[in-house]
Amino acid sequence: MKTLTVTTQTTSYPVYIGVALLSQLTQLLKPLPAYQSSADILLISNETVYPLYGAQVVRSLENGGKRVHSFLLPDGEQYKTWDSAGEILAFALEKQLSRKTLLVALGGGVVGDIAGFVASIYLRGIPFVQIPTTLLAQVDSSVGGKVAVNHQLGKNMIGSFYHPEAVIGDLDTLSSLPEREWISGLAEVVKYGVLWDADFFAFLASKQQAVERRDPTVLAGIIYRCCEIKAEVVGEDETEQGLRAVLNLGHTAGHAIERATNYCQYSHGEAVAIGMVVAVKLACSYGMLSSTEADTIQSVLADYRMPLTLPDKPVETILEGLRFDKKAVGFNVTFILPTKIGQVEIVPAVDMEQVKAVLLTMYNKE
């Protein structure tokens, strides 16, 4: 098992990465004051993940003397809404769960985001633990304390900065991931190489077969490095006043694409992959990135079987979504653009006509 500590100005918490961690759940939770003081556990999962791992988690928690109250969400990004959060809050109130209740999120990024958001506002805040079961959640969304729900006008527009007490990433849960969800997580993995670590990017480029085999040893190292990068960035800028924005590489256009397709056509990682291509092409158009490095980034994304073209939606629909990005100020949209592999720049107030020109080159011509 690998252990990493995320330390910010306001908190510190462990991230555990390894195999068979669900069978060690009580042992891992016991040191947490929030676990020690809780009699009740609010377990949030979804209808796909719970049948796979829910019984094991409930049994472990009950064997530790806890009362477990389970709430299951439908599976899908389209359910990461205020209405879903309201249903969980109503469930917690009906069960008369107290401020000492520990919330446990068992699932991928949608479950972790909405559960963490509920934890941040229920009775003005209760502690929660992340048990991410997808690659995307293990390398990215479960770490860093960003929790939110979507709105029809934009993704993650209603949320909080609220950190978990611990993150428990069991690599065994990745073996059950459908191929599409696996590829979705790899998009976030590649993102870390592009924005922060050229050596890590080179490793991903050269070790595709080993990565694709989902070998636990290789996976543990990849997940650890992604979490390490995120911990370093979040440790310097907890609430995204500056540096932390670099983690949004690919997300500006990616979120607009998700919005344009009603969160149904693409997984989050697929949209981020397309968004990275937008960022790469825009960086080239600004003269910030060489065509050689741009081709290398796009080649690795293609090797990992990620989509690289825009959906069949009017370009104006995507441009409208860009203006609802969280980083937008008025009509000024901020992009994170690579300057070389392993380094990016925060570019405020990009030229939207230039963005439009780039987008128009990305439709599938077949």
Side-chain angles (χ1 to χ4, degrees):
M1 179 175 71
K2 292 178 175 286
T3 304
L4 173 75
T5 300
V6 178
T7 302
T8 73
Q9 291 182 332
T10 63
T11 191
S12 179
Y13 55 92
V15 178
Y16 302 107
I17 303 162
V19 297
L21 296 191
L22 292 185
S23 64
Q24 306 171 53
L25 188 57
T26 302
Q27 177 185 344
L28 294 172
L29 292 176
K30 264 185 179 179
L32 301 178
Y35 177 80
Q36 296 169 11
S37 64
S38 66
D40 292 290
I41 304 289
L42 175 56
L43 177 65
I44 308 299
S45 189
N46 69 29
E47 294 168 353
T48 299
V49 173
Y50 188 86
L52 297 173
Y53 310 111
Q56 182 180 3
V57 170
V58 170
R59 183 168 58 250
S60 178
L61 294 170
E62 288 181 341
N63 288 343
K66 308 299 182 181
R67 292 187 297 267
V68 181
H69 311 269
S70 299
F71 185 98
L72 304 188
L73 293 161
D75 192 6
E77 183 80 30
Q78 64 268 38
Y79 299 105
K80 199 177 91 173
T81 64
W82 180 261
D83 288 343
S84 294
E87 291 175 11
I88 299 171
L89 292 165
F91 177 82
L93 290 168
E94 289 165 1
K95 298 294 183 181
Q96 296 183 306
L97 300 181
S98 74
R99 284 180 174 170
K100 292 189 175 181
T101 299
L102 176 66
L103 188 151
V104 174
L106 174 68
V110 170
V111 168
D113 277 6
I114 195 168
F117 177 64
V118 166
S120 75
I121 61 175
Y122 182 68
L123 301 181
R124 297 190 175 90
I126 61 173
F128 82 111
V129 168
Q130 292 269 23
I131 306 180
T133 60
T134 66
L135 180 61
L136 188 149
Q138 289 188 11
V139 301
D140 191 71
S141 62
S142 65
V143 177
K146 274 189 176 181
V147 295
V149 294
N150 300 333
H151 188 277
Q152 62 182 1
L153 292 178
K155 178 159 176 162
N156 294 333
M157 299 299 281
I158 303 169
S160 310
F161 288 100
Y162 197 73
H163 293 279
E165 303 295 309
V167 179
I168 301 171
D170 190 332
L171 300 178
D172 292 338
T173 63
L174 302 182
S175 63
S176 64
L177 270 188
E179 194 68 9
R180 188 177 181 189
E181 284 299 317
W182 169 253
I183 293 170
S184 181
L186 286 174
E188 292 281 5
V189 171
V190 173
K191 178 197 78 173
Y192 281 108
V194 175
L195 74 90
W196 199 260
D197 188 340
D199 290 338
F200 183 52
F201 180 88
F203 172 84
L204 296 171
S206 64
K207 300 292 185 181
Q208 180 193 351
Q209 291 185 344
V211 174
E212 293 280 31
R213 285 197 300 270
R214 309 191 194 188
D215 177 83
T217 302
V218 175
L219 279 181
I222 286 173
I223 294 168
Y224 184 90
R225 182 57 184 143
C226 291
C227 291
E228 188 176 45
I229 292 170
K230 188 160 191 180
E232 184 177 347
V233 174
V234 172
E236 290 189 36
D237 180 16
E238 186 174 3
T239 57
E240 200 169 303
Q241 301 303 305
L243 176 66
R244 183 169 178 165
V246 302
L247 297 173
N248 290 313
L249 172 66
H251 287 63
T252 306
H255 286 171
I257 291 165
E258 287 182 275
R259 178 183 185 269
T261 55
N262 296 316
Y263 306 101
C264 295
Q265 185 172 339
Y266 296 102
S267 68
H268 175 64
E270 289 171 338
V272 167
I274 300 171
M276 276 194 278
V277 177
V278 175
V280 163
K281 289 180 176 293
L282 187 58
C284 283
S285 74
Y286 271 108
M288 298 170 61
L289 181 70
S290 73
S291 59
T292 300
E293 294 218 324
D295 290 344
T296 300
I297 294 169
Q298 292 178 85
S299 176
V300 169
L301 291 171
D303 287 344
Y304 279 107
R305 294 169 290 133
M306 296 173 200
L308 305 180
T309 57
L310 289 175
D312 186 18
K313 296 289 181 181
V315 70
E316 294 297 338
T317 303
I318 298 171
L319 289 170
E320 180 186 10
L322 290 174
R323 295 187 178 98
F324 281 94
D325 184 76
K326 295 187 300 299
K327 300 180 299 302
V329 179
F331 291 104
N332 295 323
V333 178
T334 297
F335 264 81
I336 313 304
L337 300 182
T339 55
K340 64 179 181 179
I341 294 172
Q343 184 174 302
V344 294
E345 185 175 322
I346 302 169
V347 181
V350 295
D351 182 342
M352 295 304 288
E353 286 301 315
Q354 204 160 351
V355 175
K356 182 177 181 179
V358 165
L359 293 175
L360 288 172
T361 69
M362 290 183 57
Y363 285 97
N364 193 337
K365 303 298 192 301
E366 295 181 1

